[in-house]
């Protein structure tokens, strides 16, 4: 006797499309966030102090222990007294800009203020984003807490970005916590969403 085997249920293409749209709308087609690696980022600044205070210190993981950042010298960026302005962005006294290797869906930005020289740590800042380095949109205006010279410190601020697409991020320092012309930042980390396609393909293969 021939054994009966039920056929595989047919799922129409319109239903699959609807399911994909619903999942994409609520973000479930994205994988877990990941942190951008230093080789994915180029850093520019209004100026940088010689003697080991380059802008790239902010993303090269020096001084990072897990989610903590130390207060040792040369693990931060410091500007000079004279700073060039950046066209098209917020007015301020110093700035540091990050260019990603391609457009990224940003999930969050983590910032550590400078704890080595707290008098130079940033206070009021403006964060803006761009895809072309020409048109800029506001991400957040905020006030960072002053550095405190502790050996290890957690992030001074975590800024949600909710999947904002950007290739450039600029942080403009409007004021600092002390007197003098030098501005300083300890570390910046960028979390991005994984590509949706990595989550879609297993779903499609299983239907």
């Amino acid at each position: 006797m021939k054994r009966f085997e039920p056929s595989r249920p047919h799922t129409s293409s319109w239903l699959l499309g609807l399911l994909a749209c619903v999942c994409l709308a609520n973000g479930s087609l994205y994988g877990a966030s990941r942190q951008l690696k230093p080789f994915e980022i180029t850093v520019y600044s209004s100026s940088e102090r010689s003697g080991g205070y380059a802008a790239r210190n902010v993303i090269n993981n020096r001084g990072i222990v897990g989610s903590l950042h130390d207060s040792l010298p040369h693990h931060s960026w410091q500007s000079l007294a004279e700073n060039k302005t950046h066209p098209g962005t917020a007015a301020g006294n110093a700035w540091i800009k990050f260019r990603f290797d391609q457009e990224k869906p940003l999930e969050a930005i983590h910032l550590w203020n400078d704890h080595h020289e707290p008098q130079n740590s940033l206070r009021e800042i403006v964060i803006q984003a761009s895809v072309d380095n020409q048109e800029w949109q506001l991400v957040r205006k905020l006030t960072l807490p002053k550095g405190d010279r502790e050996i290890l410190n957690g992030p001074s601020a975590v800024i949600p970005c909710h999947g904002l697409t950007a290739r450039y991020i600029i942080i403009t320092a409007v004021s600092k916590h002390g007197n003098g012309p030098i501005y300083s930042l300890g570390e910046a980390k960028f979390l991005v969403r994984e590509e949706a396609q990595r989550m879609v393909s297993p779903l499609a293969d299983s239907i």
Side-chain angles (χ1 to χ4, degrees):
M1 175 183 292
K2 186 176 180 181
R3 192 164 123 198
F4 174 73
E5 294 183 1
S7 61
R8 186 179 183 183
H10 172 69
T11 305
S12 61
S13 59
W14 71 266
L15 183 57
L16 289 178
L18 178 61
L19 177 61
C21 289
V22 170
C23 291
L24 187 59
N26 64 25
S28 61
L29 290 186
Y30 288 104
S33 299
R34 71 174 182 89
Q35 180 180 298
L36 288 184
K37 300 184 182 302
F39 68 81
E40 297 178 273
I41 309 171
T42 305
V43 190
Y44 308 87
S45 64
S46 52
S47 65
E48 59 183 38
R49 182 179 167 188
S50 61
Y53 294 95
R56 190 160 181 82
N57 287 351
V58 173
I59 55 97
N60 64 8
N61 291 325
R62 288 184 181 178
I64 284 288
V65 181
S67 63
L68 304 177
H69 189 260
D70 68 28
S71 59
L72 297 178
H74 306 153
H75 289 171
S76 61
W77 160 68
Q78 290 194 358
S79 75
L80 295 172
E82 298 293 330
N83 290 280
K84 57 187 176 183
T85 59
H86 191 285
T89 56
N93 297 301
W95 53 264
I96 184 166
K97 181 172 72 174
F98 308 88
R99 185 190 72 187
F100 309 141
D101 58 352
Q102 61 185 20
E103 292 181 12
K104 304 288 187 183
L106 283 174
E107 190 67 37
I109 301 170
H110 292 218
L111 297 178
W112 287 258
N113 219 341
D114 181 20
H115 293 273
H116 172 58
E117 297 183 2
Q119 72 277 11
N120 294 327
S121 61
L122 307 187
R123 187 172 180 271
E124 296 173 295
I125 64 171
V126 179
I127 303 175
Q128 294 170 281
S130 175
V131 295
D132 59 6
N133 201 33
Q134 300 294 324
E135 299 293 329
W136 295 88
Q137 70 177 94
L138 178 65
V139 177
R140 184 92 172 266
K141 294 180 180 180
L142 69 153
T143 299
L144 296 178
K146 184 179 180 180
D148 56 15
R149 293 190 183 276
E150 291 294 327
I151 297 299
L152 293 173
N153 298 273
S156 303
V158 177
I159 299 94
C161 297
H162 309 293
L164 170 69
T165 298
R167 191 176 182 190
Y168 299 85
I169 292 291
I170 190 167
I171 300 173
T172 302
V174 178
S175 65
K176 54 182 279 189
H177 282 283
N179 298 319
I182 305 298
Y183 289 77
S184 185
L185 182 66
E187 193 81 18
K189 297 296 180 189
F190 301 92
L191 272 63
V192 298
R193 293 179 176 179
E194 293 287 8
E195 295 178 0
Q197 289 82 350
R198 297 179 186 176
M199 298 293 290
V200 173
S201 52
L203 175 66
D205 292 342
S206 65
I207 298 177

